[in-house]
Amino acid sequence: MSTSTDNTNTRQRVVRLVDNDIEKGNGKLESTEIAVTPPVKSPGTESQRRRRDIIAEALYIDEGKEELIKFWDQFMRKGKRKIGVVESLRAFLFSSWLNVFLVCIPIAWVSHFKHWNASATFTLCFFAILPLERLFDYGGEQMAYYLGKDLGDLATVTLNNAVEAALALILLQHCELVLLKSTIIGVVILHLLLVPGASFITGGAQIIQQDLHPHLTQLNHTLLTLGVLSLLLPAAFFAAINTQFSPATGVVAENIITDETRERFLQMSRGLAVLLLVMIYLHDPPGDDDDLASAPLAPEALKEHVARLREQDPEVNQFVCLAVLAVSIGLMAGTAEWMVQSIDFVRQTSKIQTEWFGLILLPIVSFAADGAVASVYFVRRMLRHIFQEPVPPTTLAKGEAIDLSIQFTLFWMPFFVLVGWWTNKPLTLLFDLFEVAALVGSCFIVNYVTADSKTNWAEGMAMVIFYAMIALCAWFYTGQPEIAYLSQCISVAAALANGSAG
């Protein structure tokens, strides 16, 4: 075969290799030409590749079906004991001593519809929400037996945020935007400091340190910081443009508290909201090998907990659990609505600042149940340690409350912004500077405490003390008037004319 035919048929590529070593004799660079012939595809290569792709796709579909069947078998508890309806209802009823406050629910509703004293309605609604919050917690723990560890944790976190989310949506509906922003920050700070701090104190009372999952801790640091920075950026932007001097004219700048400024922050906030929702959706790795419980650095207590979910029987039936949770959510939504409607009168008569009311008082509603249970649990363990045989302490720290804060900042907060856009409520991510500073400080101390994936009594106490510092300062804080004027459902010009920022 001729050389030209070979060049045409095989499409030889010439690779020029230059030897960087200079020959001693002539001092020149030596060049070599090597003809490289690409592999020739056989006629059956393409069809074989197509068959392999078809087989791989079929195996992938079969694997997906197998995972679905496995999940359904776990949800239906195939081959295991079925829990009866009466047994499930009894388990719910006796799940916590806080259920004695369930009698406050009908009384609170009667107080609302009979127009009793607003303070009485607010107090009754407050105590009526306590057992409902505890039922959400218990129901989420029971659903973990049917959904598995990951989905079970997601259900528990979402149900624990149900009270705060309902309160926030009701405040948004009533256009209490200033109070809503304070409540959002208060909920996040509560779940960053007070709830995990109290948990670390009670858990670390009998042990030097407790463990957190290293991978989850590192991921939480990133997600939490991102959510906090999404509020820091608008606050910094507003501080940069809120200047008293205009370099163009050399005189005091014109007022920036205008409808145009609010519209600018509305557009900014909606864009940030979409980006935060994208982050919460994409934070989970797409691969199959992402089981955190089987990770090499996973604490042994976490592995034991996952094994216990697979082996032990739940206390309630899955369908009864879903039904009770649905009814509880409906009762909680109505009770929260009556409580919000009584807020104005209580706020006026008690002379409590709006900042403290939103930052501290309203978020405490969600913590009161867990706080009461944790306090009783702590006292009971101490008494048992003194008078009876001590109970072995657990080595796994309870840091799920930090997950609640992350979900609230990356999902619920942007969700509220988009709902406000849809319902024509001008909710922005421009928050009060004091609130943002308190949130940044909370994020810093939480990331610092959990950096080594270990907690102890002293670190929990530091978190609780810092929360008390925020509560003390918020008691004297009257709020930032510029943010209040920009957080009105009427036009900013009308709010300035009326002289009302409340």
Side-chain angles (χ1 to χ4, degrees), residues 25-317:
N26 51 21
K28 296 181 180 179
L29 294 177
E30 180 182 10
S31 300
T32 309
E33 291 186 355
I34 303 176
V36 179
T37 304
V40 180
K41 294 182 179 180
S42 62
T45 302
E46 191 67 24
S47 60
Q48 291 175 359
R49 186 177 60 83
R50 283 199 299 266
R51 282 197 297 270
R52 286 197 302 269
D53 293 342
I54 294 174
I55 295 174
E57 183 178 357
L59 291 175
Y60 181 77
I61 295 175
D62 291 340
E63 183 180 355
K65 291 181 179 179
E66 183 179 352
E67 290 294 329
L68 183 61
I69 293 173
K70 183 179 178 181
F71 171 78
W72 180 253
D73 289 342
Q74 181 180 11
F75 181 78
M76 297 301 296
R77 303 287 292 179
K78 185 177 180 181
K80 299 183 179 180
R81 187 177 73 89
K82 306 298 182 182
I83 312 298
V85 176
V86 177
E87 182 182 357
S88 300
L89 294 177
R90 186 184 298 112
F92 263 110
L93 183 60
F94 295 100
S95 61
S96 173
W97 60 270
L98 287 173
N99 289 339
V100 297
F101 290 106
L102 288 173
V103 297
C104 294
I105 297 177
I107 301 176
W109 286 47
V110 170
S111 175
H112 169 75
F113 288 108
K114 293 295 184 179
H115 303 289
W116 292 357
N117 182 273
S119 298
T121 302
F122 181 87
T123 304
L124 287 170
C125 291
F126 183 92
F127 284 102
I129 289 179
L130 297 185
L132 296 175
E133 174 72 18
R134 189 59 185 169
L135 286 178
F136 292 150
D137 194 16
Y138 178 74
E141 293 174 356
Q142 292 301 306
M143 288 306 299
Y145 287 93
Y146 300 99
L147 301 177
K149 177 68 170 60
D150 295 336
L151 288 179
D153 287 347
L154 177 61
T156 302
V157 169
T158 304
L159 288 170
N160 282 331
N161 272 330
V163 174
E164 297 92 333
L167 282 173
L169 289 174
I170 294 171
L171 289 173
L172 180 62
Q173 177 189 0
H174 289 270
C175 214
E176 292 273 3
L177 300 186
V178 176
L179 185 58
L180 171 58
K181 291 181 178 180
S182 298
T183 304
I184 290 175
I185 298 294
V187 167
V188 176
I189 290 177
L190 176 88
H191 289 146
L192 282 180
L193 297 176
L194 186 59
V195 179
S199 176
F200 297 162
I201 290 175
T202 56
Q206 296 179 335
I207 192 172
I208 296 179
Q209 63 184 19
Q210 291 182 303
D211 298 325
L212 294 168
H213 197 301
H215 176 76
L216 282 180
T217 302
Q218 295 171 6
L219 179 61
N220 284 350
H221 289 173
T222 302
L223 296 178
L224 178 61
T225 304
L226 178 65
V228 171
L229 292 180
S230 68
L231 295 180
L232 181 61
L233 289 176
F237 187 95
F238 182 77
I241 65 174
N242 188 20
T243 178
Q244 297 292 323
F245 178 75
S246 175
T249 60
V251 297
V252 175
E254 61 183 44
N255 182 26
I256 64 167
I257 312 302
T258 62
D259 289 285
E260 291 76 12
T261 301
R262 184 171 70 177
E263 183 62 27
R264 188 187 309 175
F265 278 98
L266 281 173
Q267 296 175 2
M268 183 189 307
S269 301
R270 290 159 185 170
L272 291 173
V274 173
L275 293 175
L276 289 175
L277 291 175
V278 170
M279 183 63 209
I280 195 65
Y281 178 75
L282 296 178
H283 82 280
D284 192 31
D288 297 330
D289 190 17
D290 57 357
D291 185 8
L292 297 178
S294 61
L297 297 179
E300 290 298 326
L302 177 61
K303 298 179 181 179
E304 294 174 1
H305 175 65
V306 174
R308 188 165 57 251
L309 290 178
R310 295 172 182 171
E311 298 172 0
Q312 292 184 355
D313 290 329
E315 298 178 358
V316 300
N317 180 277

